[in-house]
Every structure is written in C-alpha cells, then in structure tokens.
Amino acid sequence: MAVWFDQQERLKTAKGKELLDSMPKYEGQAANVAPAPTNLGGKITLVIGDDGRPVAKIKE
C-alpha cells in the first residue's frame, strides 16, 4: 500500500514539474516599472513594508 502512495506522489510531482516547465516565464509580470520621481517635495516618502511591498506615506 505504501508503494502505491509513493508512486502517486511521484506522478503528481512529475506532472507539476511538466506543467511549470511548459508555462512561459514571467507571464503576468509588469513590463515596465519606473522609479519614483526624484523630487517628491518632501511630502511623500516611499518605504518597503514588512511584507516586501512598497508603501507610500504622505505627510501633511
């Protein structure tokens, strides 16, 4: 019985690798990411959040 489960897991892993290899790389990625303007007037600060996403903080 354990051999059957092992074979099923190996089959799923092989099929997953095949699907990942067949997909185009970078599909859905942003084509052009421009940097922030150099002069923000001191009212906006851009920082990287804890989750790695950029966060814009606006000062009044």
Side-chain angles (χ1 to χ4, degrees):
M1 189 77 162
V3 173
W4 184 80
F5 282 117
D6 184 52
Q7 289 173 345
Q8 293 301 313
E9 290 298 318
R10 288 175 186 254
L11 182 62
K12 285 192 288 185
T13 303
K15 184 64 176 174
K17 287 179 182 177
E18 180 184 324
L19 287 173
L20 285 174
D21 290 340
S22 69
M23 293 173 57
K25 304 289 189 254
Y26 307 112
E27 186 175 324
Q29 295 282 337
N32 183 11
V33 179
T38 56
N39 184 7
L40 297 175
K43 293 184 178 183
I44 300 174
T45 58
L46 298 173
V47 295
I48 304 297
D50 295 335
D51 58 354
R53 294 182 178 182
V55 177
K57 294 186 178 182
I58 302 172
K59 299 177 186 176
E60 295 280 336

Coordinates of all heavy atoms in Angstrom, one line a residue:
M1 N 0.8 -1.2 0.0 CA 0.0 0.0 0.0 C 0.9 1.3 0.0 O 0.5 2.2 -0.7 CB -0.9 0.0 1.2 CG -2.0 1.0 1.2 SD -3.3 0.6 0.1 CE -4.5 1.6 0.7
A2 N 2.0 1.2 0.8 CA 2.8 2.4 0.8 C 3.5 2.7 -0.5 O 3.7 3.8 -0.9 CB 3.9 2.2 1.9
V3 N 3.8 1.6 -1.2 CA 4.4 1.8 -2.6 C 3.5 2.5 -3.5 O 3.9 3.4 -4.3 CB 4.9 0.4 -3.1 CG1 5.3 0.5 -4.6 CG2 5.9 -0.2 -2.2
W4 N 2.2 2.2 -3.4 CA 1.2 2.8 -4.3 C 1.1 4.3 -4.0 O 1.1 5.1 -4.9 CB -0.2 2.2 -4.0 CG -1.2 2.7 -5.0 CD1 -1.4 2.4 -6.3 CD2 -2.2 3.7 -4.6 NE1 -2.5 3.1 -6.8 CE2 -3.0 3.9 -5.8 CE3 -2.5 4.4 -3.5 CZ2 -4.0 4.8 -5.8 CZ3 -3.5 5.3 -3.5 CH2 -4.3 5.5 -4.7
F5 N 1.1 4.7 -2.7 CA 1.1 6.1 -2.4 C 2.3 6.8 -2.9 O 2.3 8.0 -3.3 CB 0.9 6.3 -0.8 CG -0.5 6.1 -0.4 CD1 -0.8 5.1 0.5 CD2 -1.5 6.9 -0.8 CE1 -2.1 4.9 1.0 CE2 -2.8 6.7 -0.4 CZ -3.1 5.7 0.5
D6 N 3.5 6.2 -2.7 CA 4.7 6.8 -3.2 C 4.7 7.0 -4.7 O 5.1 8.0 -5.2 CB 5.9 5.9 -2.8 CG 7.2 6.5 -3.2 OD1 7.5 7.6 -2.8 OD2 8.0 5.8 -3.9
Q7 N 4.2 6.0 -5.4 CA 4.0 6.2 -6.9 C 3.1 7.3 -7.3 O 3.4 8.1 -8.2 CB 3.5 4.9 -7.5 CG 4.5 3.8 -7.5 CD 3.9 2.4 -8.0 OE1 2.7 2.3 -8.1 NE2 4.8 1.5 -8.3
Q8 N 2.0 7.5 -6.5 CA 1.1 8.6 -6.8 C 1.7 9.9 -6.5 O 1.5 10.9 -7.3 CB -0.2 8.4 -6.0 CG -1.0 7.2 -6.3 CD -1.5 7.2 -7.8 OE1 -2.0 8.2 -8.2 NE2 -1.3 6.1 -8.5
E9 N 2.5 10.0 -5.4 CA 3.1 11.3 -5.1 C 4.2 11.6 -6.2 O 4.3 12.8 -6.6 CB 3.8 11.2 -3.7 CG 2.8 11.2 -2.6 CD 1.9 12.5 -2.6 OE1 2.5 13.6 -2.8 OE2 0.7 12.3 -2.4
R10 N 4.9 10.6 -6.6 CA 5.9 10.9 -7.7 C 5.3 11.3 -9.0 O 5.8 12.2 -9.7 CB 6.8 9.6 -7.9 CG 7.7 9.4 -6.8 CD 8.5 8.0 -7.0 NE 9.3 7.7 -5.9 CZ 10.6 7.8 -5.9 NH1 11.2 8.2 -7.0 NH2 11.3 7.4 -4.8
L11 N 4.1 10.7 -9.3 CA 3.4 11.1 -10.5 C 2.9 12.5 -10.4 O 3.0 13.3 -11.4 CB 2.2 10.1 -10.7 CG 1.4 10.3 -11.9 CD1 2.2 10.1 -13.2 CD2 0.2 9.4 -11.9
K12 N 2.4 12.9 -9.3 CA 1.9 14.3 -9.1 C 3.1 15.3 -9.2 O 3.0 16.3 -9.8 CB 1.2 14.5 -7.7 CG -0.2 13.9 -7.7 CD -0.9 14.3 -6.5 CE -0.4 13.7 -5.2 NZ -1.1 14.0 -4.0
T13 N 4.2 14.9 -8.6 CA 5.4 15.8 -8.7 C 5.9 15.9 -10.1 O 6.2 17.0 -10.6 CB 6.5 15.2 -7.8 OG1 6.0 15.1 -6.5 CG2 7.7 16.1 -7.8
A14 N 5.9 14.8 -10.8 CA 6.4 14.9 -12.2 C 5.5 15.7 -13.1 O 5.9 16.5 -13.9 CB 6.5 13.5 -12.8
K15 N 4.2 15.5 -12.9 CA 3.2 16.3 -13.7 C 3.3 17.8 -13.3 O 3.2 18.6 -14.2 CB 1.8 15.8 -13.4 CG 0.7 16.4 -14.2 CD 0.8 16.1 -15.7 CE -0.3 16.7 -16.4 NZ -0.2 16.6 -17.9
G16 N 3.5 18.1 -12.1 CA 3.6 19.5 -11.7 C 4.8 20.2 -12.3 O 4.8 21.3 -12.8
K17 N 6.0 19.4 -12.3 CA 7.2 20.0 -12.9 C 7.0 20.2 -14.4 O 7.4 21.2 -15.0 CB 8.3 19.1 -12.7 CG 8.8 19.1 -11.3 CD 10.0 18.2 -11.1 CE 10.5 18.2 -9.6 NZ 11.6 17.2 -9.4
E18 N 6.3 19.2 -15.1 CA 6.0 19.3 -16.5 C 5.1 20.6 -16.8 O 5.4 21.3 -17.7 CB 5.3 18.1 -17.0 CG 4.9 18.1 -18.4 CD 4.1 16.8 -18.8 OE1 4.4 15.7 -18.2 OE2 3.2 16.9 -19.7
L19 N 4.1 20.8 -16.0 CA 3.2 22.0 -16.2 C 4.0 23.3 -16.0 O 3.8 24.2 -16.7 CB 2.0 21.9 -15.2 CG 1.0 20.9 -15.6 CD1 0.0 20.8 -14.5 CD2 0.3 21.2 -16.9
L20 N 4.9 23.3 -14.9 CA 5.6 24.5 -14.7 C 6.6 24.8 -15.8 O 6.8 26.0 -16.2 CB 6.4 24.4 -13.4 CG 5.5 24.6 -12.1 CD1 6.4 24.3 -10.9 CD2 4.9 26.0 -12.0
D21 N 7.2 23.8 -16.4 CA 8.2 23.9 -17.5 C 7.5 24.4 -18.8 O 8.1 25.0 -19.6 CB 9.0 22.7 -17.7 CG 10.0 22.4 -16.6 OD1 10.3 23.3 -15.8 OD2 10.4 21.2 -16.5
S22 N 6.2 24.0 -18.9 CA 5.5 24.3 -20.2 C 5.0 25.8 -20.1 O 4.7 26.3 -21.2 CB 4.4 23.4 -20.4 OG 3.3 23.6 -19.4
M23 N 4.9 26.4 -19.0 CA 4.4 27.7 -18.9 C 5.4 28.8 -19.2 O 6.6 28.6 -18.8 CB 3.8 28.0 -17.5 CG 2.6 27.2 -17.1 SD 2.2 27.4 -15.3 CE 1.9 29.1 -15.2
P24 N 5.1 29.8 -19.9 CA 6.1 30.8 -20.3 C 6.5 31.5 -19.0 O 5.7 31.8 -18.1 CB 5.3 31.8 -21.2 CG 4.0 31.2 -21.5 CD 3.8 30.1 -20.6
K25 N 7.8 31.8 -18.9 CA 8.3 32.5 -17.7 C 7.9 34.0 -17.8 O 7.8 34.6 -18.8 CB 9.9 32.4 -17.7 CG 10.4 31.0 -17.8 CD 10.1 30.3 -16.5 CE 10.8 29.0 -16.5 NZ 10.0 27.8 -16.6
Y26 N 7.8 34.6 -16.6 CA 7.4 36.0 -16.4 C 6.1 36.4 -17.0 O 5.8 37.5 -17.3 CB 8.5 36.9 -17.0 CG 9.9 36.5 -16.5 CD1 10.9 36.0 -17.4 CD2 10.2 36.7 -15.2 CE1 12.1 35.7 -16.9 CE2 11.5 36.4 -14.7 CZ 12.4 35.9 -15.6 OH 13.7 35.6 -15.1
E27 N 5.2 35.4 -17.2 CA 3.8 35.7 -17.6 C 3.1 36.5 -16.5 O 3.1 36.0 -15.4 CB 3.1 34.5 -18.1 CG 1.7 34.8 -18.7 CD 1.0 33.6 -19.2 OE1 1.7 32.7 -19.7 OE2 -0.2 33.5 -19.1
G28 N 2.5 37.6 -16.8 CA 1.8 38.4 -15.8 C 2.6 39.3 -15.1 O 2.2 40.0 -14.2
Q29 N 3.9 39.4 -15.4 CA 4.8 40.3 -14.7 C 4.6 41.7 -15.3 O 4.3 41.9 -16.5 CB 6.2 39.9 -14.9 CG 6.6 38.6 -14.2 CD 6.7 38.8 -12.7 OE1 7.0 39.8 -12.2 NE2 6.5 37.7 -11.9
A30 N 4.9 42.7 -14.6 CA 4.9 44.1 -15.1 C 6.0 44.3 -16.1 O 7.1 43.8 -16.0 CB 5.1 45.1 -14.0
A31 N 5.6 44.9 -17.3 CA 6.6 45.1 -18.3 C 7.5 46.2 -18.1 O 8.7 46.2 -18.4 CB 5.8 45.3 -19.7
N32 N 7.0 47.3 -17.5 CA 7.9 48.5 -17.2 C 7.6 49.0 -15.8 O 6.5 49.4 -15.6 CB 7.6 49.5 -18.3 CG 8.5 50.7 -18.1 OD1 9.4 50.7 -17.4 ND2 8.1 51.8 -18.8
V33 N 8.6 49.0 -15.0 CA 8.4 49.6 -13.7 C 9.4 50.8 -13.6 O 10.6 50.6 -13.6 CB 8.7 48.5 -12.6 CG1 8.6 49.1 -11.2 CG2 7.9 47.3 -12.8
A34 N 8.8 51.9 -13.5 CA 9.6 53.2 -13.5 C 9.9 53.5 -12.0 O 9.1 53.3 -11.1 CB 8.9 54.3 -14.2
P35 N 11.1 54.1 -11.8 CA 11.4 54.6 -10.4 C 10.6 55.8 -10.1 O 9.9 56.4 -10.9 CB 12.9 54.9 -10.5 CG 13.1 55.3 -12.0 CD 12.2 54.4 -12.7
A36 N 10.5 56.1 -8.8 CA 9.8 57.2 -8.3 C 10.4 58.5 -8.8 O 11.6 58.5 -9.1 CB 9.8 57.2 -6.8
P37 N 9.7 59.6 -9.0 CA 10.3 60.8 -9.4 C 11.4 61.3 -8.4 O 11.2 61.0 -7.2 CB 9.1 61.8 -9.4 CG 7.9 61.0 -9.3 CD 8.3 59.7 -8.8
T38 N 12.4 62.0 -8.9 CA 13.4 62.4 -8.0 C 13.0 63.4 -7.0 O 13.5 63.4 -5.9 CB 14.7 62.9 -8.8 OG1 14.2 64.0 -9.6 CG2 15.2 61.8 -9.7
N39 N 12.2 64.3 -7.3 CA 11.7 65.4 -6.4 C 10.3 65.2 -6.0 O 9.4 65.4 -6.8 CB 11.9 66.8 -7.1 CG 11.6 67.9 -6.2 OD1 11.3 67.7 -5.0 ND2 11.5 69.1 -6.7
L40 N 10.1 64.7 -4.8 CA 8.8 64.5 -4.3 C 8.3 65.6 -3.4 O 7.2 65.6 -2.8 CB 8.7 63.2 -3.5 CG 9.0 61.9 -4.4 CD1 9.1 60.7 -3.4 CD2 8.0 61.7 -5.4
G41 N 9.1 66.6 -3.3 CA 8.7 67.8 -2.4 C 8.7 67.5 -1.0 O 8.2 68.3 -0.2
G42 N 9.2 66.4 -0.5 CA 9.3 66.1 0.9 C 7.9 65.7 1.5 O 7.8 65.4 2.7
K43 N 6.9 65.6 0.7 CA 5.6 65.3 1.2 C 5.3 63.8 1.1 O 4.4 63.3 1.8 CB 4.5 66.0 0.4 CG 4.5 67.5 0.6 CD 3.3 68.2 -0.1 CE 3.4 69.7 0.2 NZ 2.2 70.4 -0.4
I44 N 6.0 63.1 0.3 CA 5.8 61.7 0.1 C 7.1 60.9 0.3 O 8.1 61.3 -0.2 CB 5.3 61.4 -1.3 CG1 4.0 62.1 -1.6 CG2 5.1 59.9 -1.5 CD1 3.5 62.0 -3.0
T45 N 7.0 59.9 1.2 CA 8.1 59.0 1.3 C 7.8 57.6 0.9 O 6.7 57.1 1.2 CB 8.6 59.0 2.8 OG1 7.5 58.6 3.6 CG2 9.1 60.3 3.3
L46 N 8.7 57.0 0.2 CA 8.5 55.6 -0.2 C 9.3 54.7 0.6 O 10.5 54.9 0.7 CB 8.8 55.5 -1.7 CG 8.0 56.3 -2.7 CD1 8.5 56.2 -4.1 CD2 6.5 55.9 -2.6
V47 N 8.7 53.7 1.2 CA 9.4 52.7 2.0 C 9.0 51.3 1.6 O 7.9 51.1 1.1 CB 9.2 52.9 3.5 CG1 9.8 54.3 4.0 CG2 7.8 52.9 3.9
I48 N 9.8 50.3 2.0 CA 9.4 48.9 1.8 C 8.8 48.4 3.0 O 9.4 48.5 4.1 CB 10.7 48.1 1.4 CG1 11.4 48.7 0.1 CG2 10.3 46.6 1.2 CD1 10.5 48.7 -1.1
G49 N 7.6 47.9 2.9 CA 6.9 47.3 4.1 C 7.4 46.0 4.6 O 8.4 45.5 4.0
D50 N 6.9 45.5 5.7 CA 7.3 44.3 6.3 C 7.2 43.1 5.3 O 7.9 42.1 5.4 CB 6.6 44.0 7.6 CG 6.9 45.0 8.6 OD1 8.0 45.6 8.6 OD2 6.1 45.2 9.5
D51 N 6.1 43.2 4.5 CA 5.9 42.1 3.5 C 6.6 42.2 2.2 O 6.5 41.4 1.3 CB 4.4 42.0 3.3 CG 3.8 43.3 2.7 OD1 4.5 44.3 2.6 OD2 2.6 43.2 2.3
G52 N 7.5 43.3 2.1 CA 8.3 43.4 0.9 C 7.6 44.3 -0.2 O 8.2 44.6 -1.2
R53 N 6.4 44.8 0.1 CA 5.7 45.7 -0.9 C 6.1 47.1 -0.6 O 6.2 47.5 0.5 CB 4.2 45.5 -0.8 CG 3.7 44.1 -1.2 CD 2.3 44.0 -1.1 NE 1.8 42.7 -1.5 CZ 0.6 42.3 -1.6 NH1 -0.4 43.2 -1.2 NH2 0.2 41.1 -2.0
P54 N 6.1 47.9 -1.7 CA 6.4 49.4 -1.4 C 5.2 50.0 -0.8 O 4.1 49.7 -1.2 CB 6.7 49.9 -2.9 CG 6.1 48.9 -3.8 CD 6.1 47.6 -3.1
V55 N 5.5 51.0 0.1 CA 4.4 51.7 0.8 C 4.7 53.2 0.6 O 5.8 53.6 0.9 CB 4.3 51.3 2.3 CG1 3.3 52.1 3.0 CG2 4.0 49.8 2.4
A56 N 3.7 54.0 0.2 CA 3.9 55.4 0.1 C 3.2 56.1 1.3 O 2.1 55.8 1.5 CB 3.3 55.9 -1.2
K57 N 4.0 56.8 2.0 CA 3.5 57.6 3.2 C 3.4 59.0 2.8 O 4.4 59.6 2.3 CB 4.4 57.3 4.4 CG 4.3 55.9 4.8 CD 5.1 55.7 6.1 CE 5.0 54.2 6.6 NZ 5.7 54.0 7.8
I58 N 2.2 59.6 3.0 CA 2.0 61.0 2.7 C 2.0 61.9 3.9 O 1.3 61.6 4.9 CB 0.7 61.2 1.9 CG1 0.7 60.3 0.7 CG2 0.4 62.6 1.6 CD1 -0.6 60.2 0.0
K59 N 2.9 62.9 3.9 CA 2.9 63.8 5.1 C 2.0 65.0 4.8 O 1.9 65.5 3.6 CB 4.4 64.3 5.2 CG 5.4 63.2 5.5 CD 6.7 63.8 5.6 CE 7.8 62.7 5.8 NZ 9.2 63.3 5.8
E60 N 1.4 65.5 5.8 CA 0.5 66.7 5.6 C 1.3 67.9 5.8 O 2.2 68.1 6.5 CB -0.6 66.6 6.7 CG -1.5 65.5 6.5 CD -2.6 65.7 5.5 OE1 -2.9 66.9 5.2 OE2 -3.1 64.7 4.9

